Amino acid sequence: MKQDLRDWILQALTALQAGGSLPAGDLPDFVVERTKSRDHGDFATNAALLLAKAAGSKPRDLAAALVAALPARAGIARVDIAGPGFINIALDGAAYAQELRTILERGDAYGRNGSGRGRPVQIEFVSANPTGPLHVGHGRGAAVGDSLARVLEANGWAVTREFYYNDAGAQIANLALSVQARSRGLTPDHADWPADGYRGDYILDVARDYMAGATVHADGQDVRGAADSDDLDAIRRFAVAWLRREQDLDLRAFGVVFDVYFLESSLYADGKVEATVRDLIAAGHTYEQDGALWLKTTDFGDDKDRVMRKSEGGYTYFVPDVAYHVDKWRRGFQRVVNEQGADHHSTITRVRAGLQALDIGIPKGWPEYVLHQMVTVMRGGEEVKLSKRAGSYVTVRDLIDEVGRDATRYFLIARKTDSQLVFDIDLARAQTNDNPVFYIQYAHARVCSVRRQLAERGLSWDRPNGLAHLDRLAEPHEQALLLELSRFPEVVEAAAVHLDPQLVAQYLRDLAAAFHAWYNAHHFIVDDADLRDARLSLAEGTRQVLANGLDLLGLSAPEAMLRDDSVGLAAAETV
């Protein structure tokens, strides 16, 4: 709807250019947006304000000329000029009726657009070290990252989902030592347990499988346990493969699948880290001091220079990150979005500085970052901190087992990523209108119940008749619901522009509220066939948009749900 109005205004601007009232050339990127109050109309544009200077005209005078140049168009109730030169546009009922027709015609494609033009974008998310089960922070990254991918696909981008395995470094060494200790019969409370060893029950599971000669399949390869507690390299390979498989199982249970798994160790094996360091030295942005190699990150906005190679040998953690992103760039990803925990904030400046220092055409501000804050899990009003399986944190699998995949995903998406999140297990399990995911899915199920009741009464929805009588949808609840439905394409677009799937989650809750209010106030299956078919058209349009929005968040759209009448979610089910 908003894009159609923008195209309509562009027609008028083009006419003004042709008549000499506006200079030829590209037009500025004017805004068409919803008004804050419908008393001022439905939409407003600042086109006249932006173009007045170029036209040598007062903004209100240009606004008057622009309004006069607007071609005749169905669905427009009035066009007013307000303030210094804003143009307010009020729509009539026919415009919202036409949007409902569009919803029913486009079906699963409603809300999608082609703004991405098929351009490639890589989204890297989760990227957990293969040292243990995925914790709730990883779960938030998985839910947000996968929803971002879905939203960008809905906006016409060609998305590649990538998982970066940090399978090199001290943490992997500690993993191998932990599994070795378990394979020798030691427990975490033993005096010889590794100082930085992992203590969760899963370490015992890895050690048992390794000593039993089990085979695990991860990333297209089979790795078999050598059953030799002295072979630390074999233990490391098996443990990494075992945990990669476990993490993949966790993610699949969460409805998340990746296109590419990239190993940090491959950057060393393929010489890409060394090549990146040589290129940085050749570019003249490094220096030696105190036996260490430094990168002059202050040349690119950092508050101080950073060590690349330590005096005792070995690279600091951001160096392979730079090499990894060079690899992304050379794979053709001119747009990359990294979804990570907020604890990665300090690496952004130095990674970008390293990429700029290479001077290979990478633009400033590449890659983009979406950082999520921590998650606190609550049950019975108290924080849940431990998981027997992990030993020291709550896992994604814990949450899925407790409340199901849909509730877990929604709750981890439902707040802006830069806000800390409280995951209330009791609320996520509740079948009440306080539980937003239940509330939204129940709205979808209610429409499906209408279908069943129609069949039980020997009736059917006459879609052409319903579409021919949408003018019968005149009740305030119906008008409010039609307005809410028309917002969906704008929400999908905004979620992609701002990289914020929480906008979709909030929209679905608002849409469900509008639907439940209408459902509780009016009967659908009435004797008047024209009104009945019109209301069924609106109900089906709502079901379609709910399903489309739930899909963007990776949630199911159930056709039936359990319901607790005692909580007042529905006063009656007579439709």
Side-chain angles (χ1 to χ4, degrees), residues 279 322 325-327 329-330 354-363:
D279 290 344
V322 174
H325 283 85
V326 169
D327 184 86
W329 179 257
R330 288 175 174 161
L355 295 171
Q356 291 298 300
L358 288 166
D359 194 23
I360 57 176
I362 295 176

Side-chain angles (χ1 to χ4, degrees), residues 470-485:
L470 295 182
D471 59 314
R472 299 291 301 276
L473 301 174
E475 296 290 342
H477 285 115
E478 291 163 343
Q479 292 295 303
L481 182 54
L482 283 165
L483 173 64
E484 200 64 44
L485 288 171

Side-chain angles (χ1 to χ4, degrees), residues 266-288:
S266 71
L267 295 169
Y268 294 94
D270 297 341
K272 292 178 180 178
V273 173
E274 289 291 343
T276 298
V277 172
R278 287 196 302 269
D279 290 344
L280 286 169
I281 294 172
H285 292 288
T286 64
Y287 60 92
E288 298 269 357

Side-chain angles (χ1 to χ4, degrees), residues 336-511:
V336 167
V337 179
N338 292 344
E339 203 293 334
Q340 297 173 326
D343 56 333
H344 288 80
H345 184 272
S346 61
T347 69
I348 295 175
T349 300
R350 57 198 77 170
V351 168
R352 286 177 172 169
L355 295 171
Q356 291 298 300
L358 288 166
D359 194 23
I360 57 176
I362 295 176
K364 292 182 179 179
W366 188 97
E368 301 167 64
Y369 285 87
V370 174
L371 303 181
H372 65 261
Q373 291 288 342
M374 65 178 291
V375 180
T376 301
V377 180
M378 304 290 289
R379 183 196 289 113
E382 296 183 356
E383 183 177 353
V384 180
K385 294 184 177 181
L386 302 180
S387 161
K388 188 170 186 284
R389 179 171 176 244
S392 59
Y393 55 83
V394 180
T395 70
V396 174
R397 189 82 63 87
D398 292 333
L399 290 183
I400 295 173
D401 290 345
E402 284 265 9
V403 305
R405 187 181 83 181
D406 285 351
T408 301
R409 284 187 65 124
Y410 185 92
F411 273 66
L412 291 174
I413 295 166
R415 286 183 62 84
K416 289 182 68 66
T417 55
D418 60 4
S419 300
Q420 294 191 6
L421 186 150
V422 174
F423 193 111
D424 188 332
I425 288 176
D426 298 323
L427 178 60
R429 290 173 57 90
Q431 294 181 1
T432 73
N433 57 347
D434 293 325
N435 178 350
V437 66
F438 181 84
Y439 191 61
I440 294 163
Q441 290 180 320
Y442 189 46
H444 183 275
R446 275 181 142 179
V447 179
C448 296
S449 75
V450 173
R451 295 174 173 176
R452 292 190 292 271
Q453 291 187 48
L454 270 177
E456 290 168 1
R457 300 185 190 188
L459 298 172
S460 63
W461 167 41
D462 186 333
R463 173 169 165 164
N465 187 56
L467 294 180
H469 292 90
L470 295 182
D471 59 314
R472 299 291 301 276
L473 301 174
E475 296 290 342
H477 285 115
E478 291 163 343
Q479 292 295 303
L481 182 54
L482 283 165
L483 173 64
E484 200 64 44
L485 288 171
S486 73
R487 291 181 52 233
F488 183 60
E490 300 160 35
V491 172
V492 175
E493 180 183 10
V497 169
H498 299 291
L499 298 176
D500 186 7
Q502 174 266 340
L503 295 174
V504 178
Q506 182 58 54
Y507 168 80
L508 289 174
R509 191 168 186 176
D510 293 342
L511 178 59

